Amino acid sequence: MQITGAELFVKALLAEQVDTLFAYPGGQAIDLFNALYGVEGLDVILPRHEQGLVHAADGYARSTGKVGVCLVTSGPGATNLVTGIATANYDSVPLVCFTGQVPTHLIGNDAFQEVDIVGITRSISKYAVTVRRREDLAITIKKAFYIARSGKPGVVVVDLPKDIQQALGSDGYPQSIEIRSYKPNTSVHMGQIKKSLDCLKRAKHPVFLLGGGVNISRANEVMTALAEKTGIPVVTTIMGKGAIPTSHPLYVGNLGIHGSYAANTAISECDVLFSIGVRFNDRITGKVSEFAKKAAIIHVDIDPASISRNIEVDIPIVADAKNVITALLEKAPEFDFHEWRMQIDEWKKQKPLGMKQTGESGVTPFAVIQKINEIFSDAVITTDVGQNQLWTTQFLELTDQKQMLTSGGLGTMGYGFPAAIGAKLGNPDKDVITICGDGGIQMNIQEMATAVVYELPVIICILNNGYLGNVRQWQEMFFDKRYSSTCLRYRKSCAAACNTPSACCPEYTPDFIRLAESYGAKAIRVQRYEEIESTLSEAKNTEKIPTVIEFIIEREENVLPIVPPGKPLSDMIMGGDE
């Protein structure tokens, strides 16, 4: 049977069990949208901007474990995806992004809304391709889904010229695929498992360091069992948080430039560092030459290119994280690291996270996130980027019923709110909360309309300090309080050099309450500690519309501890009474 390329596109999505498509129409994708019209079993979600669209698909994918799917038109529609493609690919999120394209005979002729999106995204995606022959369409889409979800997951871009969408051809769609040049290794080399266990048997101060790879492989349950069997303390990266429940007695905390004192000290003092699914970026290592310098390092990663890229390792294991953890659980003996764990517990007691904010009254980030911990037991929590992200990764408690989504690699402002929309679409029975700053929420605030029209009761918590807070903090601590372009209350009539916020500062714009209400959302401003719990509870009980809660926090509140740039993890500024 002969069908158009657009009809085959729809058939392929259904065959890949795609139930939600994040899509924004345009001239070079109109045939695809025509084919989608009235299709049952496939919800087409229309966000208000393509960047919000791709972040929503990202949030949907991370929270469900499915492949997120995007469809946009050519030119600006495609380029508006770029930040979201890089965001997802950096964090190994499986997305397939379809872009409309001008007809093949016009490619390279500066046609209206023509860009080389494959060339633009090649370095920030796992694979990108333009379909130039109708007979290649089915196998290319099959390949795209296979590559996106297999091995180290990532983003695949499929560029679809308009004449390919319109051309008639076979209706066949393959059930499976073999790619000769792409065969990711997921199996475990047992010789490397034996070596790593021999290393652990000689250890006195070992630590498991868990990254996002553990969460991506959905190895949380088996990882918790391995930690309990071996008795080895667990430290996580930001992306690895939640790999085991944060309330577990073996959990120490996050490491890195805003890591906890106990976690950073444990990494600095350990003699074996067993890292799983970690990329050792500069945000967690501090001064590389000083990182875990007393330790033998074991590194598990499905991507061989990640091994020894930033930190030289002693025992590499290239395999899927869950397969390795399962093999270790079967082979590992029980150890006795009681004294080491007691030492770490003492460090946790000496300098706990949030010790400065716990001494403050009023609306603090610590108080807000503590109430979220108490009120929401079955939830997906997304963050934006900046201080809001760092406070959340420090204070949020995660269990097997609670998941945190954040842009860990690229650090994309504007990610949190649309990601929450995607997460709510994929998890309608869970509470979904996004924690944003007043800067980041404005980067994709137009998606309030999306949340309203799809009747999504997402809870949007805005921590408003009137600043681009993370950069302001660095200006305060390392640039002599020269607050250059970070004050969001600034008006042209303000003093040119101002570093002292006061009651005389201009009113904040926009008024988030009136803005949210204009979209049809509920909105509440919180300025007293006593209002935090009741407001969050009210939002939890609100149905069918989003709730914006604007928390007015101290303008110069800082994220502590912090490791200054270029310093080792042991060189932390703690704040408070140090």
Side-chain angles (χ1 to χ4, degrees):
M1 180 180 174
Q2 297 276 295
I3 60 175
T4 66
E7 291 169 331
L8 180 62
F9 165 78
V10 175
K11 181 177 181 179
L13 295 189
L14 295 173
E16 296 294 340
Q17 300 182 323
V18 176
D19 54 22
T20 306
L21 175 65
F22 298 86
Y24 202 103
Q28 303 301 341
I30 197 165
D31 294 274
L32 300 172
F33 280 85
N34 184 54
L36 286 164
Y37 187 74
V39 170
E40 295 183 357
L42 179 57
D43 293 332
V44 180
I45 305 300
L46 174 65
R48 295 303 185 258
H49 189 283
E50 288 92 347
Q51 186 178 349
L53 180 156
V54 66
H55 290 327
D58 177 315
Y60 175 88
R62 294 194 205 214
S63 63
T64 63
K66 301 177 184 176
V67 176
V69 187
C70 305
L71 170 62
V72 299
T73 191
S74 62
T79 56
N80 280 340
L81 291 187
V82 170
T83 298
I85 289 173
T87 302
N89 200 59
Y90 214 129
D91 290 344
S92 304
V93 179
L95 296 185
V96 175
C97 299
F98 294 98
T99 56
Q101 182 57 280
V102 301
T104 51
H105 70 277
L106 289 180
I107 292 176
N109 289 353
D110 292 337
F112 177 66
Q113 292 194 332
E114 180 207 356
V115 296
D116 176 13
I117 192 63
V118 168
I120 290 170
T121 58
R122 186 170 285 128
S123 66
I124 56 168
S125 64
K126 191 174 179 182
Y127 181 61
V129 61
T130 299
V131 181
R132 293 180 179 271
R133 302 191 312 163
R134 169 66 178 82
E135 54 266 41
D136 294 337
L137 180 58
I139 195 71
T140 302
I141 297 176
K142 188 70 185 179
K143 186 190 293 185
F145 279 90
Y146 175 67
I147 292 174
R149 65 164 66 100
S150 61
K152 184 177 183 178
V155 181
V156 176
V157 177
V158 182
D159 197 31
L160 298 174
K162 189 174 181 68
D163 54 323
I164 302 298
Q165 301 170 32
Q166 295 172 334
L168 290 171
S170 168
D171 68 343
Y173 187 73
Q175 292 188 345
S176 60
I177 191 168
E178 281 284 328
I179 305 174
R180 187 182 302 173
S181 59
Y182 175 73
K183 296 190 181 298
N185 177 48
T186 59
S187 60
V188 184
H189 189 293
M190 294 309 294
Q192 295 301 85
I193 294 292
K194 183 176 183 306
K195 277 187 184 178
S196 62
L197 288 174
D198 288 343
C199 188
L200 283 177
K201 288 172 184 173
R202 296 189 295 272
K204 295 186 181 303
H205 304 145
V207 170
F208 278 126
L209 173 59
L210 308 181
V214 177
N215 290 328
I216 291 169
S217 68
R218 311 264 161 178
N220 309 64
E221 186 175 344
V222 69
M223 185 64 231
T224 303
L226 176 63
E228 290 173 346
K229 182 176 183 182
T230 59
I232 296 174
V234 172
V235 170
T236 57
T237 67
I238 283 177
M239 299 302 292
K241 184 156 185 171
I244 74 169
T246 54
S247 60
H248 197 289
L250 286 169
Y251 182 64
V252 183
N254 284 345
L255 87 162
I257 63 172
H258 290 290
S260 71
Y261 173 78
N264 283 353
T265 305
I267 294 296
S268 299
E269 296 298 323
C270 70
D271 58 5
V272 171
L273 182 63
F274 202 128
S275 57
I276 305 176
V278 177
R279 57 191 165 208
F280 291 112
N281 72 12
D282 56 320
R283 206 175 193 186
I284 70 163
T285 60
K287 187 177 182 180
V288 170
S289 61
E290 297 293 313
F291 179 77
K293 63 181 183 181
K294 300 177 183 177
I297 299 179
I298 303 164
H299 188 191
V300 178
D301 202 289
I302 197 168
D303 180 7
S306 294
I307 304 290
S308 293
R309 180 165 54 193
N310 298 322
I311 296 291
E312 193 69 29
V313 305
D314 299 284
I315 302 176
I317 304 176
V318 178
D320 176 78
K322 189 171 186 178
N323 291 343
V324 172
I325 296 166
T326 303
L328 285 167
L329 181 59
E330 183 181 336
K331 300 291 184 183
E334 295 181 8
F335 298 101
D336 181 8
F337 298 120
H338 178 72
E339 290 187 13
W340 172 230
R341 293 202 303 271
M342 293 283 285
Q343 174 61 72
I344 291 175
D345 287 344
E346 186 60 30
W347 289 331
K348 290 169 75 173
K349 290 176 187 171
Q350 285 175 6
K351 296 179 180 179
L353 281 171
M355 61 182 183
K356 178 175 179 295
Q357 291 188 31
T358 52
E360 297 176 0
S361 59
V363 182
T364 65
F366 178 80
V368 172
I369 297 168
Q370 282 294 89
K371 289 300 178 186
I372 290 174
N373 290 334
E374 294 171 13
I375 294 170
F376 299 92
S377 59
D378 187 11
V380 179
I381 300 98
T382 75
T383 82
D384 213 81
V385 164
Q387 288 181 309
N388 62 88
Q389 178 193 45
L390 301 169
W391 283 317
T392 304
T393 56
Q394 287 185 332
F395 305 141
L396 187 68
E397 298 290 344
L398 295 177
T399 67
D400 58 354
Q401 297 297 313
K402 290 201 287 189
Q403 185 182 10
M404 182 185 71
L405 313 182
T406 193
S407 172
L410 196 65
T412 303
M413 288 178 69
Y415 170 83
F417 179 34
I421 289 173
K424 187 63 180 176
L425 286 163
N427 302 269
D429 297 329
K430 282 181 173 281
D431 293 316
V432 176
I433 305 139
T434 184
I435 300 174
C436 303
D438 52 297
I441 187 65
Q442 295 187 65
M443 290 197 170
N444 272 311
I445 202 166
Q446 76 286 343
E447 300 308 330
M448 197 74 70
T450 310
V452 169
V453 300
Y454 289 100
E455 301 179 351
L456 302 174
V458 175
I459 301 171
I460 303 116
C461 298
I462 302 173
L463 304 179
N464 188 347
N465 56 12
Y467 279 111
L468 300 174
N470 202 36
V471 181
R472 185 215 55 77
Q473 177 176 338
W474 278 56
Q475 289 171 337
E476 176 190 336
M477 301 182 77
F478 309 122
F479 292 85
D480 196 25
K481 291 195 75 172
R482 293 163 62 88
Y483 291 173
S484 177
S485 299
T486 47
C487 180
L488 296 183
R489 287 194 173 195
Y490 171 81
R491 300 283 173 89
K492 188 176 180 180
S493 55
C494 289
C498 172
N499 62 3
T500 310
S502 72
C504 298
C505 290
E507 288 294 312
Y508 193 93
T509 188
D511 182 327
F512 286 115
I513 304 303
R514 293 169 61 192
L515 181 61
E517 289 174 345
S518 76
Y519 277 106
K522 176 186 282 190
I524 307 165
R525 181 173 291 128
V526 172
Q527 302 186 75
R528 297 188 303 124
Y529 174 86
E530 295 75 16
E531 299 167 343
I532 299 174
E533 182 171 351
S534 60
T535 305
L536 286 168
S537 296
E538 182 179 342
K540 178 178 170 61
N541 293 323
T542 299
E543 298 180 349
K544 293 191 175 184
I545 59 170
T547 300
V548 172
I549 309 175
E550 182 188 20
F551 295 98
I552 307 299
I553 64 171
E554 170 64 35
R555 294 205 65 195
E556 293 181 293
E557 189 74 75
N558 286 334
V559 182
L560 296 169
I562 182 172
V563 177
K567 299 291 185 182
L569 293 182
S570 57
D571 196 350
M572 287 170 274
I573 298 172
M574 299 301 298
D577 297 328
E578 291 284 327

